[in-house]
Amino acid sequence: MTTPASTPPRDPGSSEATERQLQLAVAQGTAYRNALDHMAQDVADAGGTQQAGDYLIGYAIEKAEGMYHLEGGELVWHNPGAANAHVEVVVCDGADGRFVPGLDVSATLVTPGGRELGPFPQELVWHPMLYHYARNWELPEDGEYTLRVHVEPPTFMRHDEINGRRFARPVDVEFAGVPIERGAEPVDPPS
């Protein structure tokens, strides 16, 4: 099920990329990876990463969270309601580590009892530290889950006749033994 890792091109001999530009991209990726590692290891209840195709895919599991939604031109806060888990998925460029935006990402959870939930779309979420794809879930039990992530090839344009040859195939990864303890963190935003 897991898509094998590959190495996307990082060639400074193209019409669009110099060695300095590629170094700057890696510096961006390193900063993003530091934030990802902090989220997955220090903030989240569970997290991890895995190489797949042209990507590095990570996840973080937290308590269900409230979020703003744009409705009728106004930001409206929604607390998690009946949701009891927040599943975050991060998709990075496997060559330089930068976040890859504009993707169709879906996730499936398999409960400890073997029931399959999903697949459900994971939406792009702005976060003060870490862009990611996420959604709140309503899970039936605590325990060790299997998380399956699917990423469709993006439709965005790719610069560079050499280095732009990436993100052309769907990828799938599976994280087994993901511990989830259900809960929610409703918050009242300032008025």
Side-chain angles (χ1 to χ4, degrees):
M1 163 121 200
T2 299
T3 305
S6 65
T7 304
R10 286 192 62 243
D11 185 345
S14 73
S15 69
E16 293 293 330
T18 66
E19 186 62 40
R20 175 75 176 132
Q21 290 169 334
L22 294 175
Q23 289 170 352
L24 290 169
V26 168
Q28 290 176 52
T30 299
Y32 186 80
R33 180 61 190 261
N34 289 337
L36 168 58
D37 289 345
H38 175 68
M39 176 65 80
Q41 297 167 12
D42 302 327
V43 176
D45 299 326
T49 60
Q50 192 176 134
Q51 290 287 143
D54 291 340
Y55 305 101
L56 171 74
I57 298 179
Y59 77 93
I61 307 293
E62 297 182 328
K63 306 294 184 245
E65 307 174 331
M67 285 182 249
Y68 281 108
H69 297 259
L70 192 62
E71 296 175 2
E74 299 290 326
L75 289 173
V76 178
W77 183 259
H78 292 271
N79 270 316
N84 55 20
H86 185 70
V87 177
E88 301 176 359
V89 174
V90 171
V91 184
C92 303
D93 186 314
D96 57 38
R98 293 181 298 165
F99 177 73
V100 182
L103 297 174
D104 287 329
V105 177
S106 61
T108 301
L109 285 171
V110 181
T111 70
R115 185 171 151 212
E116 196 167 291
L117 308 172
F120 295 117
Q122 298 283 113
E123 295 184 45
L124 178 63
V125 175
W126 178 91
H127 184 278
M129 177 184 68
L130 188 77
Y131 284 112
H132 57 273
Y133 299 94
R135 76 183 295 274
N136 284 330
W137 293 65
E138 190 174 341
L139 302 180
E141 60 187 306
D142 294 342
E144 288 195 356
Y145 282 71
T146 297
L147 170 62
R148 296 181 184 139
V149 176
H150 177 80
V151 179
E152 279 294 314
T155 58
F156 56 65
M157 294 180 284
R158 294 134 176 95
H159 240 312
D160 197 313
E161 77 280 5
I162 295 171
N163 299 299
R165 295 187 316 244
R166 62 181 76 200
F167 316 137
R169 292 179 181 72
V171 296
D172 296 285
V173 297
E174 181 173 296
F175 298 94
V178 175
I180 299 179
E181 186 176 318
R182 297 168 301 156
E185 296 178 338
V187 173
D188 292 323
S191 42

